[in-house]
Amino acid sequence: MAMAMATAMATAMATSSIATLARSPSRFSPAIATPAAPTRLSTRAASEPSDKSVDIMRKFSEQYARRSGTYFCVDKGVTSVVIKGLAEHKDTLGAPLCPCRHYDDKGAEAEQGFWNCPCVPMRERKECHCMLFLTSDNDFAGQDQVTLSKAETPLQANIV
């Protein structure tokens, strides 16, 4: 008898709660829920680097590749994105901080210099996390130590 009474009370409470929810719209009510419009994610930089900084970083990269005996990635898009990231950091931080890492404080990291291009691992062991400078034995290394000409390269294109 006690079990039947407890079940009846639980059913009444549940019915009452459902009725209350149906009368009072909330953001959790399936009756009024509408699917959110799909959002498009983009990786657009807050500010585009200047043409001057992009050109400086492109020339630096070519010179360093020749001097260090390394090559650019066979996928020119990788090279372009990394050079553009370096140029953006040069504009905003005053130093070509590695764009392929996460930093809690970019300003402090740029000031410290460990991850400024060419970073310490690249200078000491020829290990480039960004895949900008690759040794000839790397599967992704191309044969070029120069980037495409400015007219042919997507360096200034919007990255979406």
Side-chain angles (χ1 to χ4, degrees), residues 25-140:
S26 77
R27 62 187 177 113
F28 301 109
S29 173
I32 63 166
T34 57
T39 57
R40 182 174 177 197
L41 300 176
S42 66
T43 54
R44 197 172 292 243
S47 64
E48 294 293 320
S50 68
D51 288 344
K52 180 180 177 183
S53 290
V54 171
D55 196 47
I56 288 170
M57 293 315 305
R58 182 182 56 79
K59 288 177 181 176
F60 157 77
S61 299
E62 291 173 350
Q63 181 182 18
Y64 189 79
R66 285 190 299 271
R67 200 174 81 220
S68 64
T70 57
Y71 300 88
F72 295 127
C73 184
V74 70
D75 179 353
K76 296 300 181 191
V78 171
T79 304
S80 297
V81 169
V82 174
I83 290 173
K84 187 174 180 179
L86 290 170
E88 181 184 334
H89 283 164
K90 184 138 178 70
D91 283 346
T92 59
L93 303 170
L97 185 66
C98 174
C100 302
R101 297 186 173 279
H102 170 75
Y103 308 98
D104 291 329
D105 184 350
K106 287 183 181 184
E109 290 288 346
E111 201 172 293
Q112 189 224 8
F114 187 88
W115 293 115
N116 291 345
C117 189
C119 64
V120 172
M122 180 60 208
R123 291 188 306 248
E124 290 180 355
R125 300 181 301 275
K126 290 192 177 182
E127 294 174 0
C128 182
H129 174 77
C130 295
M131 294 181 58
L132 180 60
F133 304 113
L134 301 171
T135 56
S136 59
D137 61 338
N138 187 302
D139 291 339
F140 296 101

